[in-house]
């Protein structure tokens, strides 16, 4: 995994927004995988600013969200569909018919999940999947124990996740117990994955995801198998990473490569 450590969540979010915006500019008809939660909020604000001030054009973009609570309709204030409308879609020029969020009120979930996967395939697959990280290291709602080959399906929320999300629902007893979520296998098929985690409370999950063993107990760790997974962290969430200094060196080389400053890296120079 390419690990980018920014000083704080603000610069990390701007960095993430730049990855998304660069793709939208390079490939206007791209397919974005989007995430909910507090982590991507500032990145979405930055995309809205880029749309308003720099004309970033979403008119040909298609989006697929990772997950949705079972039982919540699109107008329920805690539904992920409502979250996406409020925090992104209502403020950019994306076509409403090009935004897909799993339906928490589907009558036949097996069919709905199959169709969701088919839609992703029909759209050409996800170019870039944005991901947050649960405090137990889960991605989307792939709780500990989820198969690393899993597809979009129903998942029972872990008690840690229910506790984490109780603040949005006004109590643990009001949090839905089930969610419909893209699987780890679905996520790994995205061409690029962009994992974000900010704050000290995410430090153990970041450590386990980036430097721990690949295990279904920490579904984020499956990203180690991905060819193009990028983690953007702040110094607090990255504080438990053992190889921080090395990641900074890799980034410095990456910057030189991107700027075409090959000589400083010893590329093209003769050694005698
Ligand atoms: C939920 C979501 C995840 C999200 C996680 C972390 O479990 N299903 O997609 O990454 O919460 O949320 P937050 O960003 O609020 O810490």
């Amino acid at each position: 995994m390419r690990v980018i450590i920014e000083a704080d969540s603000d610069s990390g979010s701007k960095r993430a927004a730049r990855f998304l915006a660069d793709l939208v500019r390079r490939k206007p008809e791209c397919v974005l995988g989007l995430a909910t939660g507090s982590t991507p909020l500032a990145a979405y604000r930055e995309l809205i600013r880029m749309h308003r001030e720099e004309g970033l054009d979403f008119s040909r973009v298609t989006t697929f969200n990772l997950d949705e609570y079972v039982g919540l309709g699109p107008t329920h204030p805690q539904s992920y569909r409502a979250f996406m409308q409020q925090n992104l879609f209502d403020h950019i020029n994306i076509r409403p018919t090009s935004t897909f969020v799993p339906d928490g009120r589907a009558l036949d979930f097996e069919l709905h999940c199959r169709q969701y996967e088919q839609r992703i395939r029909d759209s050409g697959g996800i170019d870039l999947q944005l991901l947050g990280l649960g405090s137990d290291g889960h991605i989307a709602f792939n709780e500990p124990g989820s198969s690393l080959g899993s597809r979009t399906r129903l998942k029972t929320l872990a008690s840690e996740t229910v506790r984490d999300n109780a603040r949005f629902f006004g109590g643990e007893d009001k949090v839905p117990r089930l969610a419909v979520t893209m699987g780890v296998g679905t996520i790994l098929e995205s061409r690029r994955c962009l994992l974000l985690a900010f704050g000290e409370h995410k430090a153990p999950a970041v450590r386990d995801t980036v430097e721990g063993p690949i295990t279904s107990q920490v579904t984020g760790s499956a990203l180690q198998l991905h060819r193009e997974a990028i983690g953007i962290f702040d110094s607090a969430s990255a504080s438990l990473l053992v190889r921080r200094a090395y990641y900074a060196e890799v980034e410095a080389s990456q910057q030189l490569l991107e700027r075409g400053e090959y000589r400083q890296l010893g590329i093209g120079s003769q050694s005698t």
Side-chain angles (χ1 to χ4, degrees):
M1 192 184 304
R2 176 176 166 193
V3 175
I4 299 174
I5 303 171
E6 293 280 347
D8 52 34
S9 62
D10 194 47
S11 45
S13 301
K14 288 199 168 116
R15 189 79 187 266
R18 271 208 304 280
F19 272 104
L20 288 154
D22 285 349
L23 173 62
V24 172
R25 287 196 194 97
R26 211 172 53 243
K27 186 178 178 189
E29 73 292 356
C30 66
V31 180
L32 301 178
L34 297 178
T36 49
S38 41
T39 306
L41 273 175
Y44 292 156
R45 278 198 295 273
E46 177 65 2
L47 288 176
I48 294 167
R49 187 199 64 74
M50 287 169 159
H51 168 66
R52 288 184 178 150
E53 295 175 14
E54 299 167 14
L56 186 63
D57 180 14
F58 290 88
S59 62
R60 292 159 67 192
V61 171
T62 301
T63 65
F64 287 92
N65 262 78
L66 287 167
D67 44 15
E68 179 61 284
Y69 290 110
V70 165
L72 305 195
T75 55
H76 189 289
Q78 302 310 332
S79 72
Y80 283 165
R81 163 56 80 178
F83 175 100
M84 290 309 300
Q85 293 302 137
Q86 268 166 35
N87 294 298
L88 186 65
F89 299 153
D90 287 349
H91 310 284
I92 57 174
N93 66 332
I94 196 159
R95 281 174 308 173
T97 50
S98 300
T99 67
F100 298 96
V101 179
D103 182 0
R105 287 196 309 185
L107 291 175
D108 182 342
F109 275 104
E110 222 182 288
L111 177 69
H112 178 60
C113 293
R114 260 205 321 275
Q115 287 172 339
Y116 201 69
E117 294 259 339
Q118 188 59 46
R119 251 197 208 125
I120 295 174
R121 276 194 294 276
D122 291 347
S123 72
I126 293 171
D127 290 302
L128 190 154
Q129 177 65 60
L130 191 61
L131 296 160
L133 196 61
S135 56
D136 57 8
H138 73 241
I139 47 176
F141 269 130
N142 293 291
E143 298 287 25
S146 293
S147 156
L148 301 185
S150 51
R151 314 300 311 183
T152 303
R153 70 212 183 291
L154 285 183
K155 195 73 207 170
T156 304
L157 303 193
S159 53
E160 198 168 344
T161 305
V162 171
R163 242 189 343 266
D164 285 352
N165 290 321
R167 65 189 196 278
F168 300 114
F169 287 87
E172 277 188 35
D173 52 325
K174 300 204 180 70
V175 182
R177 280 347 195 218
L178 292 181
V180 49
T181 179
M182 273 189 210
V184 180
T186 321
I187 292 167
L188 290 180
E189 277 171 13
S190 312
R191 288 183 192 95
R192 194 179 232 194
C193 289
L194 194 57
L195 173 72
L196 308 184
F198 304 126
E200 209 183 334
H201 63 299
K202 294 287 174 79
V206 168
R207 176 199 54 206
D208 295 349
T209 294
V210 177
E211 293 181 343
I214 297 171
T215 167
S216 65
Q217 297 305 311
V218 180
T219 53
S221 68
L223 294 170
Q224 294 176 32
L225 293 167
H226 195 278
R227 273 184 309 173
E228 249 193 282
I230 302 169
I232 301 183
F233 311 119
D234 62 355
S235 47
S237 68
S239 59
L240 297 178
L241 291 176
V242 172
R243 299 193 183 279
R244 280 197 312 275
Y246 175 66
Y247 304 138
E249 280 172 35
V250 173
E251 263 325 283
S253 305
Q254 179 71 26
Q255 297 303 324
L256 289 172
L257 279 173
E258 282 175 17
R259 288 203 298 268
E261 294 174 22
Y262 301 122
R263 283 195 161 273
Q264 288 204 50
L265 293 164
I267 298 172
S269 59
Q270 300 276 339
S271 66
T272 49

